[in-house]
Amino acid sequence: MKHIILYEIIKSWRAVFQLRTLAGVLVCMILVSPVQTNGQSPGSVSPPQEVPADPVVRFPGIAGVPDSVRALVHTNPKAAYKIITENMPRGEEDPGYDDWMFEFLLVSGILKIEEGNYDAGRQLCLEAIIQSRKTQKFFVNSSRAFNNAGNAFSYQSDYKEAAKYYYYAVVIAEQDTAAAKYLGSYYNNMATVLMSVYQNDRAFYYLNKAEIANIQSGAYNMLPSVYSNKGVIYSRQGNTDSAYFYFHQALVFARKYNKEQTEITALINIGANRIEKGRPAEAIPYLEEVLRSKKSVNPYYKETNALYMLGVAYIYTEDYPRAERYLKQALQNAETYGIPEFVHETHAQLSDLYHQTKDYRQAFLHHQAYIKLKDSIIGKENAAAVNLLEVKYRTTQKDKELVEKQLLIREQERMLTKKNVWIGGIALGSLTTILLLTGLYQKYRHRQRLQEKQIQILTKEQEIGRLKAMMQGEEKERSRLARELHDGIGGTLAAVKMSFRAVQKNFRFLEDTESFSEAMSMLDIMSNELREAAHNLMPESIIQNGLPESVHRYCAQIKKGKNLDIECQIYGSFEHLDADIVISVYRIIQELLHNVVKHAKATHAIVQISLHNDLLSIVLEDNGIGFNPDWETTGIGLKNLHSRIHHMNGRMTIETSTGDESGNAAVQSGTTIYIEIDLTPRKRTLT
């Protein structure tokens, strides 16, 4: 039974998407991973056979599901469930049975998800997808079912699967104008997944689309969730004031439109914002209001997130007993509902709490649990990020459509020109025909030259794009390695130091032991060197410190323990430079100084950086042994430098001398490297 639901889903898509070939191929190709059905067959959930004694609303004689009921499924699923069970036809032969059955499966799945029973809710949504092929509004219904199945995965932090199902919903809804009113919700959910894997720029793109779609469709009740997510992104960027504004807007709109779950989320976000602002006492009333609330919302928020944030707030206010109680409750709920991110973060907070209260044993145990979970969490994020690449570049479809339209217009223009040439030739005679043909030939040759030039430009742009992607990949890998060094090995060293202190506390005689003191000193040195290495790898650290400070720090770091005196001279203002330029210049200087340390055998070097009128120049001089000029074309490091500088619209000149023929450094020798980069924005106009 393992592949039954998958088979039924593909079967349902095949019949309808014969009319829409492209969309059908996309969805059917993506649905290749098996779906676990837990031993149930499709349609295993049946509506109740007995009608409740107190029906709310009846629609006698109506074959299809009214739009008001369909809307109620998403705004008030409990009320919708009662109406649907009251009006459910008795048999498959009755009119409208398939539509009512779909709504029953979908609303049942939504209710299970809101209760925290994500597996059952996901199962019901998958069965609703199968049922949607039998309904009158296949595209709208299937997109709704895919979206809610994605919700179940998202609450369980399975962002890879969540992104896949949200992507189905978006693609389907964009094919049918009848689903436009749901697009805002789908875009917002896609943004939520991207935020969970820290793709903040892409998430903001989808949030803007969600806001526009909701306003255009009049779905103002969906705006609170969009504003709440925008606030989260501003918070991650360190813009706490803008974050607070959007969280407050989300709270106002949620209360206006009676969006209970979004209201709870807004209260939690405001509490987190106050903590981030350094005002934990202001956060506590918002978070306690969540716990006091009688609203029936997803336990993911109320019984886990709010408890966790209260524990953090009380740590900051140094009320450790309350912090411990709330964090333990949050940990228990996170483990019960299967939310690994909260389990991971709560262990970290508990470790910090016990460290503050000097309960080193408990601090060590929770830190070990934090480290153990960290590898699995990071692995899941990487898998999700890989899966989201397709989503990230999905918007290129619109560029493709634009190119196709332009090609069609050009083809029409070419055919019109050809037709005019023939009409003119017939009207004006052979001489006019010859002149026109000559003109056409010249025009063709001119167009051919333009096309050749365009091909050259596109080839160059592709090469630049490849180099840019490669450099971005390098920076991402450096960031990953830096996080691994800082959080993984650094965390382990911290735990070791913590254990040593506990041993020292228990065995006081070790304080006077020279070998023990040397071991502690070596651990401190190792921690500092590891932190410096992580900062050198981390692009965020370079951007935050600025180019001059980062270069000075790197030069000072190299001077430590090495027989090399480095003189660093920096002129100009670098604040307005883009982040990618700052990182690229820093990596260039890193590579140059690395070559000096590794190969030059120099005792003195000068690094000079200047920026004047969008002209950035870098000069590196050393008194080393020099090198063979032929290496400039064969060395891998220099080739990479040339590629990076060429991508930045720059050029590099190398002057080197090896002294005498034997390479004796006593004879005047050394190397001077001059790099000039033009930062003026380039403009290109093609006719």
Side-chain angles (χ1 to χ4, degrees):
M1 301 297 293
K2 185 176 182 180
H3 296 276
I4 289 179
I5 289 183
L6 173 65
Y7 170 76
E8 291 293 331
I9 291 173
I10 297 176
K11 182 178 177 183
S12 66
W13 281 93
R14 187 179 302 153
V16 176
F17 271 83
Q18 288 176 348
L19 300 178
R20 302 192 181 194
T21 306
L22 178 59
V25 171
L26 280 174
V27 176
C28 290
M29 287 180 63
I30 295 172
L31 283 172
V32 294
S33 58
V35 179
Q36 184 66 36
T37 64
N38 298 324
Q40 298 181 2
S41 59
S44 60
V45 177
S46 301
Q49 298 300 314
E50 295 183 4
V51 179
D54 184 21
V56 179
V57 180
R58 291 287 294 169
F59 297 92
I62 296 180
V65 180
D67 290 338
S68 59
V69 177
R70 190 177 293 107
L72 200 62
V73 168
H74 302 284
T75 58
N76 192 344
K78 289 185 177 180
Y81 179 85
K82 198 167 186 180
I83 294 173
I84 291 169
T85 54
E86 288 292 329
N87 292 272
M88 190 71 188
R90 296 307 176 196
E92 295 186 13
E93 68 280 3
D94 294 340
Y97 173 84
D98 291 329
D99 286 316
W100 285 100
M101 173 55 78
F102 168 81
E103 299 298 337
F104 173 77
L105 291 171
L106 182 59
V107 76
S108 300
I110 292 173
L111 289 173
K112 288 293 184 183
I113 292 172
E114 290 187 353
E115 294 170 3
N117 192 347
Y118 303 118
D119 292 336
R122 181 175 66 248
Q123 174 70 23
L124 287 165
C125 290
L126 293 176
E127 293 182 21
I129 294 172
I130 299 172
Q131 181 66 22
S132 67
R133 67 174 180 171
K134 303 177 183 179
T135 62
Q136 299 178 10
K137 297 184 178 182
F138 169 68
F139 281 88
V140 175
N141 290 340
S142 59
S143 69
R144 293 164 61 204
F146 273 122
N147 180 67
N148 283 282
N151 288 341
F153 285 108
S154 180
Y155 286 133
Q156 290 182 300
S157 303
D158 191 347
Y159 301 123
K160 175 183 176 181
E161 290 298 314
K164 183 170 67 176
Y165 280 84
Y166 289 151
Y167 181 69
Y168 302 159
V170 168
V171 171
I172 298 166
E174 287 178 344
Q175 299 294 321
D176 192 351
T177 55
K181 59 184 177 181
Y182 299 107
L183 261 178
S185 175
Y186 301 163
Y187 287 141
N188 183 61
N189 287 340
M190 181 65 74
T192 302
V193 172
L194 289 166
M195 290 165 59
S196 299
V197 292
Y198 294 92
Q199 298 285 333
N200 295 323
D201 292 338
R202 296 298 304 168
F204 211 90
Y205 166 81
Y206 277 100
L207 288 175
N208 287 333
K209 295 190 70 172
E211 183 176 9
I212 294 171
N214 286 328
I215 293 174
Q216 289 178 345
S217 63
Y220 296 102
N221 61 327
M222 301 304 298
L223 289 175
S225 180
V226 177
Y227 292 150
S228 182
N229 285 333
K230 281 192 173 184
V232 172
I233 292 180
Y234 278 116
S235 179
R236 289 179 178 178
Q237 294 173 347
N239 192 342
T240 54
D241 292 333
S242 295
Y244 179 80
F245 170 79
Y246 276 104
F247 290 150
H248 188 265
Q249 287 292 99
L251 182 61
V252 171
F253 274 79
R255 287 173 172 170
K256 179 178 179 181
Y257 293 103
N258 196 27
K259 302 288 288 184
E260 295 183 350
Q261 186 156 295
T262 310
E263 178 183 350
I264 294 299
T265 304
L267 289 170
I268 294 173
N269 284 335
I270 292 175
N273 177 268
R274 296 296 87 190
I275 295 173
E276 185 179 6
K277 195 71 173 176
R279 302 173 183 174
E282 297 179 10
I284 293 173
Y286 290 101
L287 299 171
E288 288 181 340
E289 182 179 350
V290 174
L291 296 184
R292 291 194 305 269
S293 172
K294 302 300 182 181
K295 299 180 182 346
S296 177
V297 298
N298 194 305
Y300 177 96
Y301 297 96
K302 183 176 178 181
E303 299 176 17
T304 305
N305 202 338
L307 291 169
Y308 169 82
M309 292 308 305
L310 266 174
V312 175
Y314 279 119
I315 287 179
Y316 279 96
T317 58
E318 299 183 357
D319 190 345
Y320 298 121
R322 287 189 180 181
E324 181 182 24
R325 184 172 75 252
Y326 284 121
L327 287 174
K328 283 185 175 180
Q329 291 177 12
L331 180 61
Q332 181 180 356
N333 290 337
E335 291 174 342
T336 300
Y337 297 120
I339 311 173
E341 274 73 8
F342 272 113
V343 176
H344 172 253
E345 293 299 329
T346 307
H347 277 302
Q349 293 296 333
L350 284 169
S351 176
D352 182 60
L353 184 150
Y354 288 124
H355 181 71
Q356 295 293 333
T357 57
K358 303 187 184 306
D359 188 349
Y360 296 115
R361 182 177 181 277
Q362 288 295 328
F364 177 75
L365 292 176
H366 283 285
H367 188 79
Q368 287 296 100
Y370 164 80
I371 294 297
K372 183 177 180 181
L373 282 169
K374 183 176 183 298
D375 293 336
S376 62
I377 295 293
I378 291 177
K380 182 182 293 184
E381 291 176 350
N382 287 335
V386 171
N387 186 74
L388 286 172
L389 287 176
E390 183 179 10
V391 180
K392 183 177 180 182
Y393 295 106
R394 187 188 59 81
T395 54
T396 58
Q397 294 177 351
K398 296 190 179 296
D399 295 333
K400 179 181 178 182
E401 293 174 359
L402 180 60
V403 171
E404 291 175 349
K405 290 179 180 178
Q406 291 175 343
L407 291 175
L408 180 60
I409 292 173
R410 290 183 182 180
E411 182 65 18
Q412 292 174 345
E413 291 176 348
R414 188 183 67 82
M415 295 299 295
L416 182 60
T417 303
K418 185 177 180 180
K419 182 178 180 180
N420 290 335
V421 168
W422 282 104
I423 294 175
I426 295 173
L428 300 178
S430 60
L431 179 61
T432 306
T433 302
I434 293 173
L435 292 175
L436 287 174
L437 289 173
T438 303
L440 284 173
Y441 176 76
Q442 292 177 350
K443 185 176 181 180
Y444 169 76
R445 290 293 301 165
H446 178 66
R447 181 178 295 175
Q448 192 176 39
R449 287 193 294 270
L450 283 178
Q451 289 177 344
E452 291 174 353
K453 185 177 292 185
Q454 281 184 319
I455 291 173
Q456 293 174 356
I457 292 173
L458 289 173
T459 302
K460 185 176 180 180
E461 288 180 343
Q462 289 176 351
E463 178 65 19
I464 292 175
R466 184 186 65 80
L467 293 172
K468 186 175 182 180
M470 180 181 68
M471 288 187 287
Q472 289 176 346
E474 291 175 353
E475 295 303 328
K476 288 182 180 179
E477 182 64 15
R478 286 189 176 101
S479 296
R480 188 189 69 79
L481 289 174
R483 286 194 296 269
E484 290 292 338
L485 289 173
H486 188 276
D487 297 339
I489 301 176
T492 303
L493 283 176
V496 172
K497 291 170 63 178
M498 191 183 303
S499 300
F500 270 46
R501 290 193 182 98
V503 172
Q504 186 180 17
K505 181 178 179 182
N506 294 330
F507 302 96
R508 295 294 184 181
F509 68 90
L510 292 175
E511 294 179 355
D512 300 325
T513 304
E514 182 178 358
S515 59
F516 186 87
S517 300
E518 289 179 356
M520 293 296 293
S521 176
M522 291 172 66
L523 283 175
D524 290 333
I525 294 172
M526 187 183 304
S527 298
N528 292 333
E529 290 181 351
L530 184 64
R531 189 181 302 108
E532 289 178 354
H535 286 171
N536 285 334
L537 288 172
M538 185 74 73
E540 293 85 357
S541 174
I542 300 170
I543 296 171
Q544 181 179 1
N545 294 327
L547 182 61
E549 179 64 22
S550 298
V551 172
H552 276 297
R553 290 174 61 177
Y554 184 70
C555 292
Q557 181 181 346
I558 291 180
K559 290 170 64 175
K560 292 180 181 179
K562 296 191 174 56
N563 188 23
L564 176 62
D565 180 37
I566 301 177
E567 181 179 352
C568 188
Q569 304 172 358
I570 302 178
Y571 309 98
S573 177
F574 299 84
E575 289 80 7
H576 67 283
L577 292 183
D578 293 336
D580 57 341
I581 294 177
V582 171
I583 294 173
S584 295
V585 172
Y586 182 80
R587 297 304 182 204
I588 289 171
I589 294 171
Q590 273 189 316
E591 180 66 22
L592 293 174
L593 288 176
H594 174 74
N595 289 338
V596 171
V597 173
K598 185 176 180 181
H599 303 293
K601 299 181 181 179
T603 59
H604 183 75
I606 299 175
V607 177
Q608 185 182 86
I609 308 172
S610 64
L611 177 61
H612 180 67
N613 292 337
D614 290 329
L615 183 64
L616 176 67
S617 61
I618 304 170
V619 180
L620 176 65
E621 298 182 22
D622 68 68
N623 63 347
I625 62 174
F627 65 95
N628 191 332
D630 292 338
W631 294 353
E632 185 178 347
T633 58
T634 60
I636 295 177
L638 286 174
K639 283 185 177 180
N640 291 336
L641 270 177
H642 275 295
S643 298
R644 187 185 290 272
I645 293 168
H646 177 69
H647 160 62
M648 297 178 66
N649 195 28
R651 60 181 180 177
M652 179 172 67
T653 303
I654 300 177
E655 296 179 359
T656 181
S657 173
T658 58
D660 59 7
E661 295 182 356
S662 63
N664 186 359
V667 182
Q668 183 178 1
S669 61
T671 301
T672 300
I673 299 177
Y674 179 77
I675 300 171
E676 186 177 87
I677 300 173
D678 184 9
L679 301 179
T680 304
R682 291 173 291 174
K683 298 182 179 179
R684 183 180 76 250
T685 301
L686 293 178
T687 303

